[in-house]
Amino acid sequence: MCFYDALFWGDELILLTNAGVFSISDIDKIESQTLSPPKDDSAYDISGRKLPTIKGHGVFIQNGKKIVR
């Protein structure tokens, strides 16, 4: 049996296969946890190089966010 696609519809898992469409309910879903990265006050330029100091103006990345000054 070949699986073409799988999707959740409410609490049911729908499997689309070459043998037909199947519905599976009451399954334990795998929930992904969002991990927050450790707080790092280092700054990086756009190419990913670590900056020794933050200049007064420019574009850099700090704590995963793009900063424009």
Side-chain angles (χ1 to χ4, degrees):
M1 180 178 341
C2 295
F3 291 101
Y4 294 116
D5 204 358
L7 57 103
F8 281 101
W9 185 267
D11 289 337
E12 294 186 23
L13 175 65
I14 308 296
L15 300 175
L16 306 174
T17 69
N18 62 341
V21 177
F22 299 94
S23 173
I24 303 172
S25 60
D26 297 329
I27 63 172
D28 292 328
K29 297 179 194 173
I30 299 173
E31 307 249 346
S32 62
Q33 295 180 352
T34 304
L35 301 176
S36 44
K39 182 137 180 150
D40 182 15
D41 287 333
S42 300
Y44 300 87
D45 66 7
I46 298 300
S47 64
R49 295 178 296 209
K50 189 172 184 176
L51 299 174
T53 59
I54 299 174
K55 296 180 182 178
H57 64 281
V59 177
F60 58 94
I61 299 170
Q62 189 173 30
N63 294 326
K65 297 180 181 176
K66 188 172 17 174
I67 309 292
V68 179
R69 289 188 185 170

